[in-house]
Amino acid sequence: MTGNKKLYDAAKALAAAEGIPFTRARTRILADLAAAKQSGHQQSGHQHPASDLGFLADAPYEQADLELAAALVGACRAGCSSCQATLIPKVLAGNRATVGALATISALMPAPMGLSSAVPRPVREWNPLARQALEDDNGAAALAALEAMTPDDLDTILDFTLNMWAFSGASIKPVVLDLDDPDVEDELGPVYTLLPGIEQTPHGPLPLLLLEPETNPAGAEDLSTRCAWPRWDAPPVPGSDPVFPDPDPRWRVRLNIGGRAVEEIARVDDEGFDDITVWRAPEPLVRMPDEWWDLVDRVQHVLLCGPVFAHGRASAAEALAAAAATSTGVMAVLATTSFW
C-alpha cells in the first residue's frame, strides 16, 4: 500500500469517526488532519484572525451565521486544515443561509469568470439565482436551490467559495453586473466558454475546443471578422472525405502542464506578440479531461471551432452538429499548442 493510499484510508476513517462529510473536495483537508493526528503534531487551542465579513449582513440571508463564516474564512486564509475540518461540517450541517452568504462572493465576480464553463457546474448553475436574490433582496429561491442540492454539489460550492476567500486575502466589495445591460456586455467584450471534445479524422483523433458565446459581442461575426477564422463545413457529410483546416501557427492554445488545463487562446503577430486574445482562463484553473489532455500531448494541435450553443446538448459532437446546421455555420482554425 502506498503512502497516499494510507493517507486516503486514514482520511476516510477520520471522517467516519468524527462525522465530517467525506466528499471529493474535502479529501486533502481530511488527509492533512489525519496525518497531523498520526504524527502527534495536531494543533489545539489556537485561533486565527477572523475576517471582516460585515458587508455580507446586507446579503438576503438573514439566518446566516456570519461569526462562523468569518472563523472559517480565517482558517482558510491561514491554511489551517485542523480548523477547516472542524468548521466546515458545522457550516454544512447548519442553516443553508450561511453557505449562501459565503457563496455570494462567487455571484459577485465582476468578470467573465462567473459565466465560464471552467467554473464548476453547481457554482455556475447557482450563481444566477444568487445574483437575482441580491437584485430582489430576496434569497428564498437561492436558499431553496441550496437545500435541494446533493451533498457533493453543496460541498463543491462551499469548496469553490472558500478558495475564492482564501485567494482574495481581503474583504471584497460587492459589485453586481446586470448581464442584460448592453453597457455591461460592451465592457466585457466578446466572452466565450470552452467545451472540449474529440473529432475523428482519417489520420486519427483530433482534439477540439468548442467556443460558446456568453455575451452579445461574441459569436460568428466576432470569430469571422475580428479573428478572421474561415467557415468550416463541419461535421463532414456522411460518406464524404472530411476536410480540416491547415495548421495556422499564429494561433496558440497555451496549456498549463501542472494543472493539465487550458490557460489562454491567442493569436500572435509577426514579432511573436499577442494581437488577439479569444479566451483566458479564470482562477482557479480547471483540469481538462484526461483523454483530451493525453491526446493534445500527442498531436500538439487543437481544432478551435465556434460559435456553438451547448446548452441541452449531451456532447461536444452534438453541439458541433447543431451549430453546423445553422445559417451562420461554424468558424474554425487549427491552432498549435504551447505547454507552460
Side-chain angles (χ1 to χ4, degrees):
M1 180 182 291
T2 65
N4 285 341
K5 182 64 164 57
K6 287 181 179 179
L7 272 184
Y8 179 85
D9 290 343
K12 289 193 71 172
L14 179 68
E18 302 196 10
I20 301 172
F22 187 83
T23 56
R24 183 177 60 258
R26 293 280 79 80
T27 302
R28 183 67 262 171
I29 291 173
L30 291 165
D32 288 347
L33 182 56
K37 284 193 169 190
Q38 289 175 358
S39 65
H41 294 152
Q42 183 185 6
Q43 292 179 303
S44 61
H46 68 287
Q47 292 183 335
H48 308 292
S51 300
D52 180 10
L53 307 186
F55 74 86
L56 289 181
D58 295 329
Y61 306 106
E62 294 82 1
Q63 302 302 316
D65 187 339
L66 296 184
E67 183 176 345
L68 174 61
L72 177 53
V73 170
C76 291
R77 288 176 173 169
C80 179
S81 298
S82 176
C83 285
Q84 290 180 65
T86 298
L87 296 172
I88 285 171
K90 293 182 179 179
V91 172
L92 292 174
N95 193 303
R96 290 293 179 266
T98 304
V99 177
L102 281 168
T104 296
I105 188 176
S106 71
L108 297 179
M109 292 180 284
M113 177 181 177
L115 309 175
S116 172
S117 59
V119 174
R121 175 193 53 76
V123 180
R124 202 166 63 244
E125 292 177 352
W126 186 76
N127 275 350
L129 295 175
R131 281 193 290 268
Q132 193 64 46
L134 291 169
E135 292 175 10
D136 299 344
D137 195 27
N138 184 340
L143 280 174
L146 292 174
E147 292 281 1
M149 283 184 185
T150 65
D152 258 358
D153 283 356
L154 187 68
D155 193 70
T156 295
I157 284 185
L158 183 59
D159 184 70
F160 184 84
T161 294
L162 294 178
N163 281 333
M164 288 194 67
W165 282 112
F167 292 145
S168 72
S171 295
I172 295 177
K173 299 300 181 183
V175 177
V176 179
L177 294 183
D178 179 2
L179 298 177
D180 295 324
D181 185 342
D183 291 336
V184 170
E185 292 201 332
D186 288 343
E187 181 67 23
L188 292 177
V191 177
Y192 298 91
T193 59
L194 297 185
L195 178 66
I198 296 176
E199 180 75 10
Q200 297 299 324
T201 80
H203 306 291
L206 181 68
L208 307 178
L209 282 175
L210 307 185
L211 281 76
E212 180 174 14
E214 290 287 359
T215 58
N216 282 335
E221 183 176 355
D222 174 61
L223 295 177
S224 62
T225 303
R226 179 175 69 104
C227 301
W229 290 7
R231 179 163 175 158
W232 178 48
D233 294 325
V237 177
S240 65
D241 293 330
V243 177
F244 293 87
D246 293 328
D248 188 337
R250 297 174 302 167
W251 282 97
R252 311 289 175 83
V253 176
R254 294 176 178 135
L255 303 160
N256 181 286
I257 297 175
R260 293 171 71 92
V262 178
E263 276 199 354
E264 196 173 50
I265 298 173
R267 189 182 74 178
V268 299
D269 59 22
D270 292 339
E271 297 182 355
F273 295 101
D274 292 357
D275 62 359
I276 296 176
T277 299
V278 170
W279 189 85
R280 183 174 289 117
E283 292 290 342
L285 295 175
V286 174
R287 182 187 177 99
M288 299 300 283
D290 288 341
E291 182 183 11
W292 186 92
W293 181 270
D294 292 340
L295 180 58
V296 171
D297 193 30
R298 292 198 308 271
V299 304
Q300 305 285 301
H301 286 88
V302 176
L303 185 63
L304 305 175
C305 311
V308 303
F309 298 90
H311 300 301
R313 309 293 179 190
S315 66
E318 288 188 6
L320 183 59
T326 64
S327 59
T328 56
V330 175
M331 319 301 161
V333 66
L334 187 56
T336 59
T337 55
S338 301
F339 290 86
W340 296 42

